Amino acid sequence: MVSFEFSDEQSEFQKTLAEFTRKQLLPGYRDRAASTTFPFDILRQLGELGVLGIGLPEQYGGTGAEDPIMLGLATETLAYGDVNLASAPIQIGLIGSQLVHASDEVRQHYLPAMIEGRETVAIALTEPGSGSDAAAMTTVARPVDGGWRLTGEKTAISWACNASAALIYARDPGSKRAAGVSCYLVPLDAEGVSVHHMPGMGCLPLGWGSIHLDDVLVPESHLVGEPGKGFQAVMSHFDFSRAAIGLMCLGAAQVSLDEAATYATDRHAFGKPIADYQGVSFQIAEHTTYLEAARWMCYHALWLREENKPHTSLASMSKWWPPVVAKNAIEAAMKIHGNLGYSTEFPLQQRHRDVMAYLVADGTAEIQKRIIAKDVFDRGSVVY
Ligand SMILES: Cc1cc2nc3c(=O)[nH]c(=O)nc-3n(C[C@H](O)[C@H](O)[C@H](O)COP(=O)(O)OP(=O)(O)OC[C@H]3O[C@@H](n4cnc5c(N)ncnc54)[C@H](O)[C@@H]3O)c2cc1C
């Protein structure tokens, strides 16, 4: 039998977060989202609520074993109030689960700081010459006494401008593709590192930027995971962050549809509330249907992860389709608001621009479809 019910613990946690979201996040979202200043005060509140340590070791303040469904619930719920802040648990979960394999020194400094919301860390794979084809990266880690010297450039990196460090992926000199790529924790104030802000159309508080590395000394203690295995390690973590990103976009879409339903009830045209016209009410019905389908697809991917069953294709489905569903729903909500939907005094246009980021970030739809198609053809079908 199948149950679509969350556990008591999950429901309680979601209730607490929903209350926080409506009171603390939703009212200030539009102003925060229009600014490039990252709200560390709210990040610390998320830390106090236990949102930032989901699935990370208890000894550093986390909740313990990996908990994909709880992560999805948290990010979906927070995104109802602020889609940018909702990305924090995903980012910290993705990075934290790799830092678990770092030295004591690195773990003890960064894991509690991230889980408490005092510091953020960026994850830097993309380079000017390699994005979708991340294995074509050219940043080099040259072995020297006591560590490595890193040289290269990372671009389009979320959190670059507000993080204290970044996971930098770099290759052994002469190595090719994924083999020979290792992961290094590089403090962004290290000598030879420079960070440059990149102007984007949304996600402004996340501090999008490029990271330049000019012969940066990285000590042995700052290697993360096994040498030469950095690429495979990050790819396996994307399998759950992708479904969580899908849910995050859907949370932002849900609040937009709720706002549209309220507006449609209040706004009159031709002597009646516009909600009385099927041209309006059917749009809300249709997008609500798409949201429902996309939502359970994401939770299915997270459930498979929790059950230790194959879930790579479903994670990719959850990364390409829900952001499209969410973007379309927000667009419909904007149109239902008429001229006000276009106004920067309303949050809808901002949500639209913030959600658009996830059509590209963490892998485009085309790259997700490559993964799904490979699975279909390798296995003959995709049966879960
Ligand atoms: C808001 C935002 C935040 C980001 N944050 C981060 C971050 O924190 N860390 C990080 O490392 N990166 C980050 N990125 C970078 C992101 O991961 C890359 O932009 C993305 O993987 C695409 O790479 P690209 O931009 O180089 O495009 P390209 O790889 O050059 O692709 C260009 C176009 O070609 C298509 N394409 C490429 N190859 C194929 C193919 N084989 N088949 C079909 N179509 C193909 C793509 O789908 C795309 O439409 C972020 C990007 C954005 C927009």
Side-chain angles (χ1 to χ4, degrees):
M1 287 298 287
V2 171
S3 166
F4 288 96
E5 226 168 20
F6 295 111
S7 69
D8 289 348
E9 191 199 349
Q10 288 163 342
S11 301
E12 269 310 301
F13 190 56
Q14 196 219 17
K15 222 168 99 192
T16 308
L17 286 188
E19 205 181 316
F20 174 82
T21 295
R22 283 178 189 270
K23 281 197 188 140
Q24 308 289 337
L25 298 185
L26 190 53
Y29 161 70
R30 196 210 54 154
D31 290 342
R32 276 194 307 276
S35 157
T36 50
T37 305
F38 185 76
F40 273 100
D41 53 334
I42 303 183
L43 190 70
R44 277 192 288 275
Q45 290 179 44
L46 293 183
E48 280 163 25
L49 284 166
V51 173
L52 304 177
I54 297 173
L56 295 175
E58 284 176 68
Q59 71 185 109
Y60 304 109
T63 60
E66 195 179 280
D67 197 347
I69 293 183
M70 201 68 118
L71 181 74
L73 261 183
T75 189
E76 182 192 16
T77 308
L78 295 174
Y80 192 96
D82 188 325
V83 63
N84 294 318
L85 277 160
S87 69
I90 306 178
Q91 173 85 358
I92 291 170
L94 181 64
I95 290 168
S97 51
Q98 291 171 84
L99 287 186
V100 165
H101 306 290
S103 64
D104 266 1
E105 180 193 331
V106 166
R107 275 184 292 174
Q108 272 165 21
H109 176 104
Y110 289 98
L111 283 171
M114 286 184 345
I115 291 170
E116 288 165 25
R118 287 185 281 114
E119 288 185 33
T120 61
V121 174
I123 180 163
L125 269 162
T126 306
E127 299 184 356
S130 59
S132 303
D133 186 10
M137 70 179 68
T138 58
T139 296
V140 167
R142 183 169 55 85
V144 293
D145 270 356
W148 298 266
R149 291 253 176 205
L150 266 57
T151 298
E153 181 185 344
K154 299 290 177 180
T155 193
I157 309 303
S158 304
W159 308 78
C161 300
N162 60 39
S164 49
L167 293 185
I168 302 280
Y169 293 81
R171 63 170 61 262
D172 297 342
S175 65
K176 294 264 182 298
R177 306 295 300 167
V181 172
S182 302
C183 174
Y184 306 88
L185 189 286
V186 180
L188 292 180
D189 60 0
E191 201 182 329
V193 176
S194 54
V195 176
H196 304 271
H197 168 71
M198 289 172 58
M201 65 184 266
C203 299
L204 301 184
L206 297 189
W208 205 41
S210 60
I211 302 172
H212 297 244
L213 303 131
D214 183 7
D215 214 25
V216 178
L217 180 63
V218 178
E220 271 168 12
S221 60
H222 282 47
L223 173 74
V224 178
E226 286 182 55
K229 299 271 170 61
F231 196 80
Q232 290 88 337
V234 69
M235 289 300 147
S236 82
H237 291 296
F238 279 144
D239 276 355
F240 76 93
S241 63
R242 284 181 171 153
I245 287 175
L247 285 165
M248 180 176 80
C249 294
L250 296 172
Q254 186 62 60
V255 63
S256 306
L257 285 185
D258 289 353
E259 286 168 358
T262 304
Y263 183 77
T265 313
D266 295 343
R267 176 72 175 176
H268 283 62
F270 304 98
K272 285 201 289 191
I274 58 171
D276 284 1
Y277 299 110
Q278 288 182 348
V280 172
S281 64
F282 278 18
Q283 285 191 60
I284 292 179
E286 282 171 21
H287 289 288
T288 301
T289 309
Y290 296 136
L291 252 62
E292 184 68 7
R295 183 168 187 256
W296 289 112
M297 186 170 80
C298 294
Y299 280 116
H300 188 188
L302 294 174
W303 177 80
L304 288 168
R305 171 90 181 185
E306 201 159 283
E307 295 290 306
N308 220 2
K309 293 182 173 164
H311 56 285
T312 300
S313 297
L314 254 183
S316 284
M317 294 178 206
S318 307
K319 171 59 188 55
W320 86 258
W321 192 56
V324 174
V325 165
K327 174 192 83 75
N328 291 344
I330 298 169
E331 261 171 35
M334 287 169 72
K335 283 185 275 179
I336 289 170
H337 277 77
N339 74 84
L340 301 179
Y342 191 71
S343 164
T344 54
E345 297 198 346
F346 278 66
L348 288 157
Q349 43 75 37
Q350 187 68 56
R351 264 190 224 117
H352 189 255
R353 285 186 276 126
D354 289 346
V355 163
M356 287 283 284
Y358 300 98
L359 301 182
V360 176
D362 247 59
T364 63
E366 290 72 35
I367 296 313
Q368 307 309 327
K369 289 175 195 175
R370 266 168 63 99
I371 295 168
I372 300 161
K374 182 176 182 313
D375 200 22
V376 172
F377 289 112
D378 283 357
R379 296 210 272 149
S381 76
V382 181
V383 180
Y384 293 96

